[in-house]
């Protein structure tokens, strides 16, 4: 395909911005504007613009590596695959199938996520599979499931945002994490709508807000309950809607009424007049939305927090109506699709439940296996990583770099080192890959075709634009080669369209039904929203011979059998580790615009490193003064898990009781050395967004 222009999508975040790729004569690839994709209309952030830099052989893996005499040395594909098959077989024979673990990622395409889940259950027969999406949007998924009976991050396209009357954006810094999406919020304000941002820091996003609430980290649950209390006290509930479309209001109402505004002000630090103003701005227009991201979700009470914000929407009739609703801004490139097709511990394709006999029977038939042979649900991501070296002896890892991104990372790094056998598939030698016994170099976005599902539930076709270098194979090739060596010759195709055709059948009739979607439709229609069933006796085709897809959910009914949404009664509780005399300051963590996640990819791009060269500790001048630190001075941040050091960045844009560190780096500035793996009881999400630390100056 020399010199032809290929319309495709960015490899990084959940916006999945459209872009055009053109191979250049020197072997590089040029990115150019692709204006026909409605999510970004041609705009890209610096990461998307520079993504081809990671295709270069200067930074990527170019050959399989195997450990020999303590170091990783190049090897043939046959030798590398044989070694992995041997490692996994030995563990299975000596310790049973559940001693083999599999860890996936929300950046993997639908085809890869689907095949990885099938590989774990059918080839290894292990229940021990989970993925990094557990660290991402699992609390929002759990909250959405409880309330609506279905989890799709956004129940409407981003294009609906400018038509709403008010948006409350809770713990999202989308001006840095999804820059092209800021346009929808600018248009909201131009149309007369208002934007409220809830963030303990005055971020670039908060600067755009009409009202910025600055709560103490970890108190969003109390904040939402306080707002609901005021909604009731001021008579702003929508009783007709509550009666017709919901269940469970009385209990949720009673729980919220215990959260008096003054009590909520004491917990959150948000003044009562700001709470009242928020309620007024949210309730006065005809429509309004609440959108959450990692701020309120990455807490040990993230699920209850999401429930509280959904309760606010339901009590005011702001869900399942035009330009109104609750949504979660999912994060990774395939954060949505990656949570639907079976790489999650409790899940089968199509967002089916692994413990549901009918779901097991359906998927087992597609897979050609006995339903009883499918294992049950396994451990969640942190619990799986924590069991490495004890219950789990071998691990196959694809699409994550937990040595940097897992909570309590020094401990997890030790657990990984204590494995009998570790195999990693990656595009670069990540910090986790560097610990492996075998590393396999895989193809990347521009070199392979596959589908992703963006944060709106829009299924997209990412097309191959260039030929991969010699010596590199795709993740699907790897799973095919391993299945074959482990005695399963059929059922692991290497062609992604063939996998998708099977995924369509496996998802048919499930909550995330993709059966009406084909590669051809995706190419012609610029994406299709799920659910998209195959028209048949249960699904009238209407004017189409195909189902049109579902951009907007819940307008007629919610997904529970009775069509009604559920209120969930919730009450405030403290974070798992409150500050005390020894650890008096709160640490929160997150992202900067120029680096992506564990930095495995973006730290290999010169332009991005120049913009964001390393970690830092953001703190308020008052805290800096008490500590005796000036701008740029190294500061040690110490928690019960460990110690990290990074330069001080002093700003008035953060609460004086809180410090912030981005988590993109390894080494002494690794934020996750400090974080607390306290888990949410429902979603098993770790508390990345709040733990107790103390600060120390460092002599240099
Ligand atoms: N540049 C860049 N973009 C990315 C990514 C990246 O790594 N880099 N990753 C992608 C992925 S996977 C994800 S999940 C998304 C994440 O996107 P976001 O959720 O926007 O990212 P974060 O920076 O983790 O957190 C958002 C905000 O939460 C605030 N916050 C911290 N603690 C609290 C709290 O207790 N309550 C509230 N309300 N807010 C709090 C932080 O100050 C921060 O500004 O970004 C995606 N896009
Ligand atoms: N303190 C703190 N920690 C956090 C968070 C936080 O806010 N604070 N956020 C959490 C969140 S939301 C997330 S999503 C996680 C993300 O953290 P990670 O799971 O570590 O995410 P990435 O850095 O994207 O890792 C993806 C890895 O897969 C590789 N890769 C990319 N594409 C492919 C592919 O197609 N195939 C294969 N085999 N490999 C590929 C990349 O090179 C990289 O090494 O971090 C979590 N950790
Ligand atoms: S906003 Fe996300 S999808 Fe768009 S170019 Fe940037 S990283 Fe890529
Ligand atoms: Mo994420």
């Amino acid at each position: 395909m020399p010199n032809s222009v290929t319309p495709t999508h960015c490899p990084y975040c959940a916006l999945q911005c459209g872009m055009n790729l053109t191979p250049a004569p020197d072997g590089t690839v040029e990115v150019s504007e692709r204006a026909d994709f409605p999510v970004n209309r041609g705009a890209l952030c610096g990461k998307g613009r520079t993504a081809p830099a990671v295709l270069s052989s200067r930074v990527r893996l170019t050959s399989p590596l195997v450990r020999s005499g303590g170091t990783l040395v190049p090897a043939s594909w046959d030798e590398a695959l044989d070694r992995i098959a041997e490692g996994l077989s030995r563990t299975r024979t000596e310790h049973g199938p559940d001693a083999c673990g599999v860890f996936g990622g929300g950046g993997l395409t639908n085809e890869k996520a689907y095949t990885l889940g099938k590989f774990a259950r059918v080839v290894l027969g292990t229940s021990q599979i989970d993925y990094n999406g557990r660290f991402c949007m699992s609390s929002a998924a759990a909250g959405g499931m409880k309330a609506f009976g279905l989890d799709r991050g956004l129940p409407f396209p981003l294009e609906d945002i400018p038509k709403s009357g008010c948006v409350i954006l809770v713990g999202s810094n989308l001006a840095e994490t999804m820059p092209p999406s800021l346009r929808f919020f600018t248009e909201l304000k131009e149309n007369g709508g208002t934007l409220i941002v809830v963030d303990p820091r005055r971020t670039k996003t908060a600067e755009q807000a009409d009202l910025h609430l600055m709560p103490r980290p970890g108190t969003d649950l109390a904040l939402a309950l306080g707002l609901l209390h005021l909604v009731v006290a001021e008579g702003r509930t929508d009783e007709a809607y509550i009666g017709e479309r919901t269940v469970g209001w009385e209990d949720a109402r009673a729980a919220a009424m215990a959260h008096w505004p003054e009590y909520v002000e004491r917990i959150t630090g948000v003044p009562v007049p700001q709470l009242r103003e928020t309620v007024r701005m949210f309730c006065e227009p005809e429509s309004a939305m609440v959108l959450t991201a990692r701020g309120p979700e990455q807490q040990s009470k993230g699920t209850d927090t999401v429930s509280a914000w959904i309760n606010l929407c339901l009590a005011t009739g702001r869900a399942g109506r035009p330009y109104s609703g609750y949504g979660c801004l999912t994060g990774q490139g395939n954060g949505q699709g990656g949570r639907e097709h079976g790489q999650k511990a409790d899940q089968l394709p199509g967002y089916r439940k692994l413990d549901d006999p009918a779901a097991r029977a359906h998927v087992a038939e597609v897979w050609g296996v006995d339903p009883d042979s499918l294992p049950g649900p396994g451990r969640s991501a942190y619990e799986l990583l924590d069991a490495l070296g004890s219950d789990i002896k071998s691990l196959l890892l694809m699409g994550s770099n937990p040595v940097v991104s897992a909570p309590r990372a020094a401990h997890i790094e030790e657990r990984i080192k204590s494995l009998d056998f570790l195999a990693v598939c990656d595009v670069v030698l990540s910090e986790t890959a560097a610990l492996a016994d075998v590393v396999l170099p895989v193809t990347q976005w521009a070199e392979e075709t596959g589908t992703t599902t963006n944060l709106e539930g829009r299924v997209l076709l990412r097309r191959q634009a260039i030929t991969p270098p010699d010596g590199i194979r795709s993740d699907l090739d790897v799973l095919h080669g391993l299945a074959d060596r482990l005695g399963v010759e059929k059922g692991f195709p290497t062609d992604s369209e063939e996998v998708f055709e099977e995924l369509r059948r496996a998802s048919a009739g499930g909550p995330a039904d993709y059966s009406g979607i084909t590669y051809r439709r995706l190419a012609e229609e610029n994406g299709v929203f799920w659910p998209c069933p195959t028209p048949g006796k249960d699904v009238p085709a209407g004017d189409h011979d195909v189902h049109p897809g579902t951009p907007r959910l819940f307008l007629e009914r919610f997904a529970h059998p009775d069509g009604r949404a559920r209120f969930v009664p919730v009450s405030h509780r403290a974070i798992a580790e409150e500050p005390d005399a020894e650890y008096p300051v709160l640490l929160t963590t997150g992202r900067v615009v120029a680096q992506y996640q564990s930095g495995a990819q973006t730290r290999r791009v010169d332009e991005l490193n120049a913009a964001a060269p390393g970690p830092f500790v953001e703190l308020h001048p008052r805290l800096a003064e008490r500590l005796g630190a000036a701008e740029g001075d190294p500061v040690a941040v110490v928690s019960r898990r460990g110690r990290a050091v990074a330069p001080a960045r002093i700003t008035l844009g953060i609460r004086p009781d809180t410090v912030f560190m981005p988590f993109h780096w390894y080494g002494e500035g690794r934020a996750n050395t400090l974080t607390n793996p306290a888990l949410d009881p429902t979603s098993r999400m770790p508390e990345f967004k709040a733990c107790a630390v103390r600060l120390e100056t460092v002599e240099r």
Side-chain angles (χ1 to χ4, degrees), residues 13-14 45 47 135-137 169-174 176-179 198-201 203 215-220 292-296 298-299 329-333 588-598 660 663-664 689-690:
C13 87
C45 79
K47 297 185 298 300
F135 297 159
C136 189
M137 45 4 84
L169 203 48
V170 193
S172 160
N173 184 14
L174 53 79
E176 296 211 49
T177 53
M178 301 178 175
V198 182
D199 197 307
R201 302 158 57 224
T203 58
R216 194 169 176 266
T219 63
D220 302 83
T292 66
R294 300 310 80 77
Q298 287 175 328
Q299 300 183 15
L329 297 162
T330 295
Q332 298 182 85
T588 191
T589 60
R591 296 160 165 83
V592 298
V593 65
Q595 297 288 353
Y596 189 70
Q597 313 274 60
S598 74
F660 168 83
F663 78 99
H664 309 292
K689 287 295 191 266

Side-chain angles (χ1 to χ4, degrees), residues 113-427:
Y114 170 84
T115 307
L116 192 65
K118 182 178 177 184
F119 179 83
R121 274 89 183 214
V122 173
V123 178
L124 298 177
T126 181
S127 66
Q128 299 301 305
I129 174 169
D130 210 50
Y131 79 120
N132 68 6
R134 187 71 76 164
F135 297 159
C136 189
M137 45 4 84
S138 58
S139 295
M145 234 16 167
K146 284 190 193 190
F148 307 128
L150 187 74
D151 157 43
R152 196 181 86 186
L154 291 178
F156 40 70
L158 287 167
E159 292 160 278
D160 281 6
I161 288 170
K163 298 181 188 139
S164 189
C166 172
V167 177
I168 309 184
L169 203 48
V170 193
S172 160
N173 184 14
L174 53 79
E176 296 211 49
T177 53
M178 301 178 175
S181 73
L182 193 58
R183 193 193 71 231
F184 296 106
F185 298 86
T186 310
E187 287 174 10
L188 164 80
K189 293 202 295 176
E190 285 166 3
N191 292 347
T194 53
L195 175 63
I196 302 172
V197 170
V198 182
D199 197 307
R201 302 158 57 224
R202 188 157 181 83
T203 58
K204 288 207 170 69
T205 312
E207 280 169 12
Q208 306 296 317
D210 298 288
L211 178 62
H212 175 201
L213 311 183
M214 248 175 137
R216 194 169 176 266
T219 63
D220 302 83
L221 174 53
L223 182 70
L225 285 159
L227 297 174
L228 184 51
H229 177 112
L230 281 172
V231 162
V232 176
E234 294 178 5
R236 294 183 188 268
T237 51
D238 185 338
E239 297 296 329
Y241 173 96
I242 292 172
E244 282 161 28
R245 298 206 56 188
T246 71
V247 174
W249 170 228
E250 273 318 308
D251 288 348
R253 178 182 183 279
M257 291 321 281
H259 298 76
W260 290 88
E262 293 73 18
Y263 171 56
V264 169
E265 174 177 324
R266 269 204 313 282
I267 297 169
T268 62
V270 177
V272 173
Q274 286 191 1
L275 299 175
R276 289 192 189 282
E277 182 62 2
T278 303
V279 167
R280 190 192 63 74
M281 286 165 70
F282 186 68
C283 293
E284 280 184 358
E286 221 168 277
S287 58
M289 297 173 173
V290 172
L291 304 179
T292 66
R294 300 310 80 77
E297 298 169 16
Q298 287 175 328
Q299 300 183 15
S300 61
K301 52 175 179 285
T303 306
D304 283 1
T305 302
V306 166
S307 293
W309 286 101
I310 294 177
N311 288 349
L312 180 70
C313 292
L314 294 176
T316 52
R318 287 158 193 299
R321 281 180 166 172
Y323 316 119
S324 280
Y326 164 81
C328 145
L329 297 162
T330 295
Q332 298 182 85
N334 195 28
Q336 181 66 50
R339 77 208 210 208
E340 299 164 0
H341 299 296
Q343 61 178 330
K344 190 160 173 263
D346 57 356
Q347 193 188 57
L348 287 170
Y351 224 131
R352 289 185 153 94
K353 298 290 284 176
L354 191 47
D355 56 9
D356 168 7
R360 293 169 70 88
H362 174 86
V363 174
E365 197 193 333
V366 175
W367 288 352
V369 299
D370 177 356
D372 292 337
S373 73
L374 297 176
R379 290 179 176 84
S380 77
Y382 179 78
E383 292 164 296
L384 191 159
L385 296 172
D386 190 36
L388 300 181
S390 52
D391 291 352
I392 300 175
K393 306 289 186 190
S394 288
L395 183 71
L396 172 66
L397 187 136
M398 192 175 266
S400 181
N401 186 13
V403 164
V404 178
S405 57
R408 196 185 172 199
H411 167 72
I412 294 306
E413 189 172 354
E414 284 312 309
R415 298 322 309 155
I416 289 175
K417 286 179 181 162
S418 74
L419 280 166
D420 290 353
F421 183 79
L422 172 65
V424 175
C425 302
D426 207 308
V427 299

